[in-house]
């Protein structure tokens, strides 16, 4: 079977998958007695209707870009990193410690310093499963899942003990004002553009976009990226070509964990300005769906993260306005994941046949 054009792979297949997910979601809404057209209107309005709603959508998008990139980098080495959730938790701990105990003179320096610390903590958390995979043959899926379960009680202990602020809540004290990251209204205001002052989107979005470009350059424009993709395509061929499997596994997972950890500059530094117990809010797991839907390409991940950010924010508004249970919104999100990930071939194979038929007809004429 011949490959379909890149534009069809990146745009057409996901678009049809989304359409199918929307049709099934509409049927589900009809079954529970809700109007799907009204629901779609609220979903879109809730995500994009006001600059405040858009700010929340972009805030969630930023989280999903970091975790989507984290999953994608590992995937290019055929490593299925399920542990972005735990790596983001531990990255948040790194950012919090850097903000609490280092007297940063300005937010720009704090962003670099605390962001690097968050990346180092996330990478260190990913390094142990990577080492077990490279040297002991432990399956990366199992170990990264287990490390997710370890990270949460670790944070629970720390936030209820050594670094807990005064009061009942499991959280650190608020960071110093010098670590305050400008929100998107301050950034756009510099260019004379008005934007919501109350939304949580902040300068971390720009860092996430830079990360997209950096990952693209790493994977498709460097020797390390070539070796990573070669190892992911065929381990025996990569070994024959002199590529060191241990190096690829370790480096891919360190970069992956570092990207997941950097999510902390958005949610811990930019939004809460302290570390709270449930700071990650499942973004590590959603990053898996974002990477799958984005075909593990940074541009695709950016678009998929924007879609999931809109679903996340719009879903919250939908749940509030139509009194639809939050679990039903999760079902709609799961349908999108199902059609764009697990049932991808159901859409892809007919499209491949159509393109093959068109190509054969052209050659026959």
């Amino acid at each position: 079977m011949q490959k379909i054009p890149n534009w069809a792979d990146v745009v057409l297949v996901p678009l049809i998958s989304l359409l199918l997910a929307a049709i099934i979601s509409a049927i589900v809404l009809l079954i529970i007695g809700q109007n799907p057209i009204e629901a779609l209107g609220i979903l879109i309005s809730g995500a994009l209707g006001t600059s405040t709603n858009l700010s929340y959508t972009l805030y969630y998008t930023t989280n999903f870009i970091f975790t989507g990139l984290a999953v994608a980098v590992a995937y290019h080495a055929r490593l299925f990193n399920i542990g972005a959730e735990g790596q983001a938790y531990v990255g948040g701990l790194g950012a919090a410690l850097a903000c609490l105990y280092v007297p940063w003179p300005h937010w720009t320096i704090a962003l670099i310093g605390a962001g690097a610390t968050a990346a180092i903590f996330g990478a260190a958390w990913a390094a142990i499963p990577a080492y077990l995979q490279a040297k002991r043959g432990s399956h990366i899926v199992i170990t990264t899942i287990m490390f997710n379960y370890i990270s949460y009680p670790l944070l629970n202990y720390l936030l209820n003990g050594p670094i807990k602020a005064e009061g009942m809540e499991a959280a650190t004290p608020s960071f110093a004002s010098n670590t305050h990251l400008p929100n998107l209204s301050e950034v756009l205001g510099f260019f004379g553009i008005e934007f919501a002052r109350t939304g949580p989107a902040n300068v971390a979005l720009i860092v996430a976009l830079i990360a997209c470009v950096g990952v693209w350059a790493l994977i498709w424009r460097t020797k390390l990226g070539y070796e990573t993709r070669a190892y992911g395509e065929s381990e025996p061929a990569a070994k024959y070509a002199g590529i060191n499997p241990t190096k690829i596994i370790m480096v891919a997972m360190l970069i992956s964990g570092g990207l997941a950890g950097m999510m902390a500059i958005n949610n811990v530094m930019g939004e809460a300005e302290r570390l709270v117990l449930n700071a990650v809010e499942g973004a590590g797991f959603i990053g898996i769906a974002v990477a799958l839907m984005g075909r593990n390409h940074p541009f695709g991940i950016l678009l998929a993260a924007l879609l999931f950010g809109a679903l996340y924010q719009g879903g919250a508004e939908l749940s509030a306005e139509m009194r639809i249970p939050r679990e039903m919104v999760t079902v709609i999100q799961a349908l999108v994941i199902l059609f764009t990930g697990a049932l991808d071939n159901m859409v892809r194979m007919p499209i491949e046949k159509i393109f093959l038929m068109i190509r054969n007809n052209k050659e026959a004429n």
Side-chain angles (χ1 to χ4, degrees):
M1 183 68 67
Q2 295 186 38
K3 193 177 178 183
I4 60 176
N6 285 335
W7 68 267
D9 185 38
V10 174
V11 177
L12 188 61
V13 174
L15 200 62
I16 294 175
S17 299
L18 282 176
L19 186 61
L20 290 173
I23 293 171
I24 302 298
S25 300
I27 294 171
V28 172
L29 287 170
L30 283 172
I31 291 173
I32 63 171
Q34 299 290 347
N35 185 337
I37 296 176
E38 183 186 356
L40 179 64
I42 293 173
L43 191 71
I44 294 173
S45 170
L48 309 170
T50 66
S51 59
T52 300
N53 292 351
L54 179 59
S55 180
Y56 276 93
T57 296
L58 293 176
Y59 166 74
Y60 294 125
T61 299
T62 306
N63 285 343
F64 301 152
I65 288 175
F66 280 119
T67 54
L69 290 175
V71 174
V73 168
Y75 189 81
H76 281 292
R78 286 293 183 271
L79 299 169
F80 207 23
N81 179 16
I82 308 291
E85 185 85 0
Q87 291 147 20
Y89 269 123
V90 178
L93 174 63
L97 293 177
C99 290
L100 286 172
Y101 298 112
V102 179
W104 303 104
H106 192 266
W107 70 264
T108 52
I109 309 298
L111 176 62
I112 296 170
T117 309
I120 291 169
F121 271 59
W125 199 248
I128 304 169
Y131 178 82
L132 293 173
Q133 165 86 37
K135 291 294 187 182
R136 302 295 178 190
S138 303
H139 202 291
I140 200 80
V141 171
I142 305 299
T143 50
T144 49
I145 286 175
M146 290 300 104
F147 269 67
N148 284 337
Y149 288 109
I150 297 171
S151 64
Y152 190 82
L154 173 67
L155 264 290
N156 194 6
Y157 162 72
L158 292 172
L159 293 176
N160 282 289
I163 57 174
K164 183 179 182 300
E166 292 183 2
M168 298 296 290
E169 190 178 8
T172 65
S174 296
F175 303 152
S177 59
N178 283 353
T179 65
H180 168 76
L181 298 184
N183 61 30
L184 216 52
S185 69
E186 294 173 75
V187 176
L188 294 176
F190 183 79
F191 299 98
I193 302 172
E194 288 193 10
F195 197 71
R197 295 179 182 277
T198 55
N202 59 77
V203 74
L205 175 62
I206 298 171
V207 180
L209 296 177
I210 294 171
C212 284
V213 177
V215 168
W216 172 81
L218 171 72
I219 298 297
W220 279 279
R221 290 293 184 271
T222 65
K223 181 185 175 188
L224 176 63
Y226 174 79
E227 291 178 341
T228 302
R229 287 184 289 126
Y231 178 80
E233 290 295 329
S234 173
E235 183 178 347
K239 285 181 180 175
Y240 185 75
I243 296 172
N244 185 340
T246 302
K247 171 192 162 187
I248 296 299
I249 292 171
M250 290 301 300
V251 172
M253 283 300 294
L254 287 175
I255 296 172
S256 178
L259 285 165
M262 283 185 68
M263 197 192 94
I265 63 175
N266 186 46
N267 61 337
V268 175
M269 284 186 72
E271 195 265 335
E273 298 185 339
R274 58 180 184 152
L275 178 62
V276 297
L277 188 56
N278 193 27
V280 181
E281 297 180 314
F285 296 118
I286 294 175
I288 298 169
V290 168
L292 287 174
M293 188 175 178
R295 300 292 184 268
N296 295 299
H297 190 286
F299 182 66
I301 288 169
L302 172 61
L303 296 180
L306 190 58
L307 172 68
F308 275 87
L311 281 174
Y312 214 75
Q313 167 58 20
E317 295 292 326
L318 184 65
S319 178
E321 291 197 26
M322 294 189 74
R323 297 185 183 279
I324 295 176
R326 182 69 195 176
E327 290 76 12
M328 188 55 64
V329 176
T330 304
V331 168
I332 295 172
Q333 292 169 345
L335 284 169
V336 175
I337 296 170
L338 183 69
F339 278 92
T340 56
L343 300 180
D344 178 78
N345 275 340
M346 187 181 76
V347 175
R348 181 180 301 277
M349 291 178 71
I351 292 176
E352 284 179 344
K353 287 181 181 177
I354 292 170
F355 274 96
L356 181 62
M357 186 174 64
I358 294 171
R359 194 174 294 122
N360 289 339
N361 287 339
K362 282 183 179 177
E363 289 174 357
N365 294 328

